[in-house]
Amino acid sequence: MMVGAGQSGSGTEDQDWDGDESTADLLKTVGKQVKLWRERAGLTQAELGAAIGYSEEQVSSVERGRRVPKPGFLDAADEVLGAGGLLAAFKEDVERARYPKKVRDLAKLEAEASQLGAYASTVIHGLLQTPDYARALYQLHRPTLDEETIERNVAARVARQEIFNRCPAPFLSFVQEEATLRRPVGGKMVLRQQLERLLEVGRLRNVEIQVMPTDREDHAGLNGSFFLLDPKTGQKVSHSESALHSRVSMDRKEVRILEARYGIIRAQALTPRDSLAFIKTVLGDT
C-alpha cells in the first residue's frame, strides 16, 4: 500500500491533500482558524510565511484547506500569532490526515475490528513491524521514494499499531512464513529487533503468532498474503495485495473462501507455543 508524493524541496513544503470528505472538513476548519488568527494579528499571508519559514503560497494553500500543514507549521503559527495553543492543538488530528488515504482507510477498518487474522508470505506483517524494519522496507521501494514520503509512511504504519492498545482488546492472529523471519531486511540488527518485537507481541493474551515452516509439503497460502477483519458490527472484510495493488472486499463469497483458506493455513502452521520457541531459535541464530 504504497503511494507516491511530491518532492519535499526545502523540507518546509506541506503535502497536497488526497483524502476524503471528513479530512477536507478538518483541513478547512484548520485553515479558517489560521486565517482568523493571522488577520487578528494584522499580518498578511506573506508576512506570516516569512515569520515561520513558509512561502506566501503555502500559507494560502493551508488557509484554503488545500494542503496538510506539518506540525511545525502549526507550532510556529501558534507562537507567532499568539493563539495560546489553539492552533497547535490541531497537530494530532492533522498528522493523521498526512497519512496516505489507503492507510487511513485501512486503519479505520482495523479500529472497528473485534477479530483480525493475517497471513504474511514475503515480509513481517505491517501491524507487527518495528519502525526500523518498516523504514528499511520503504527504502527498498522501486522506484525510490523521497525521505519525507518514507517517514510519512513509517509514521502511518506505526500509528496503525494502536490496535494493540485498544480496550476491549480485539483478538489478533498472524501466520508468518519462516522466510520472513530469516530475511535480513535492514540488516541483522534490524532483524534481531524485529524478532524481539514478535516475541514481545506474541506473549500478549489476545495475540497469537504462528510460523509456517518452509519444509511444509501441504500449504494453502501459496497464492499470497491476505488478512481478514471481523468488525464489531457489519460485514466481514478481506484485504489482499499484489505487486501494484491492494484490494478490500466485502463480497461474501470471497470472504468465505479466504476464511476457509486461513483456517487451513493455521492448521498447517506451527502452534503459537511452538512458533514462539521457533522465533527464539531464529533469533539465537541471527
Side-chain angles (χ1 to χ4, degrees), residues 94-249:
V94 170
E95 186 62 16
R96 292 195 189 98
R98 290 179 56 79
Y99 301 156
K101 185 176 184 300
K102 288 183 180 180
V103 176
R104 295 199 305 271
D105 292 343
L106 190 56
K108 183 178 179 181
L109 288 172
E110 290 168 347
E112 297 171 351
S114 59
Q115 295 186 53
L116 179 149
Y119 166 63
S121 62
T122 56
V123 297
I124 302 299
H125 190 273
L127 290 176
L128 300 172
Q129 291 173 11
T130 65
D132 285 343
Y133 185 95
R135 185 174 294 105
L137 284 177
Y138 285 118
Q139 288 171 342
L140 292 172
H141 188 275
R142 297 297 183 271
T144 58
L145 302 173
D146 62 79
E147 287 302 314
E148 182 176 344
T149 300
I150 290 174
E151 292 307 315
R152 185 158 54 92
N153 279 281
V154 171
R157 182 154 294 182
V158 171
R160 285 172 52 205
Q161 296 175 10
E162 281 297 312
I163 193 172
F164 292 109
N165 301 322
R166 269 182 41 201
C167 186
F171 174 69
L172 307 173
S173 165
F174 303 89
V175 180
Q176 290 285 157
E177 279 292 330
E178 177 185 342
T180 68
L181 308 179
R182 300 186 183 277
R183 183 168 294 116
V185 174
K188 283 192 174 182
M189 184 55 66
V190 171
L191 179 59
R192 284 187 60 84
Q193 293 171 347
Q194 179 61 70
L195 294 174
E196 290 168 353
R197 173 62 175 166
L198 293 181
L199 292 173
E200 176 188 359
V201 174
R203 295 188 186 103
L204 298 176
R205 293 179 58 192
N206 63 310
V207 177
E208 291 187 350
I209 297 177
Q210 295 178 253
V211 176
M212 176 69 80
T214 303
D215 63 4
R216 285 291 195 261
E217 292 185 13
D218 294 328
H219 193 331
L222 296 180
N223 288 330
S225 303
F226 64 90
F227 69 86
L228 297 156
L229 291 163
D230 191 353
K232 287 171 283 190
T233 58
Q235 293 180 251
K236 294 181 179 180
V237 178
S238 68
H239 178 273
S240 56
E241 292 188 3
S242 63
L244 297 176
H245 304 285
S246 63
R247 182 170 183 270
V248 173
S249 175

Side-chain angles (χ1 to χ4, degrees), residues 41-63:
L43 297 179
T44 66
Q45 291 177 340
E47 289 170 337
L48 174 59
I52 64 176
Y54 282 73
S55 70
E56 178 181 2
E57 187 277 330
Q58 288 169 328
V59 173
S60 175
S61 292
V62 169
E63 289 188 353

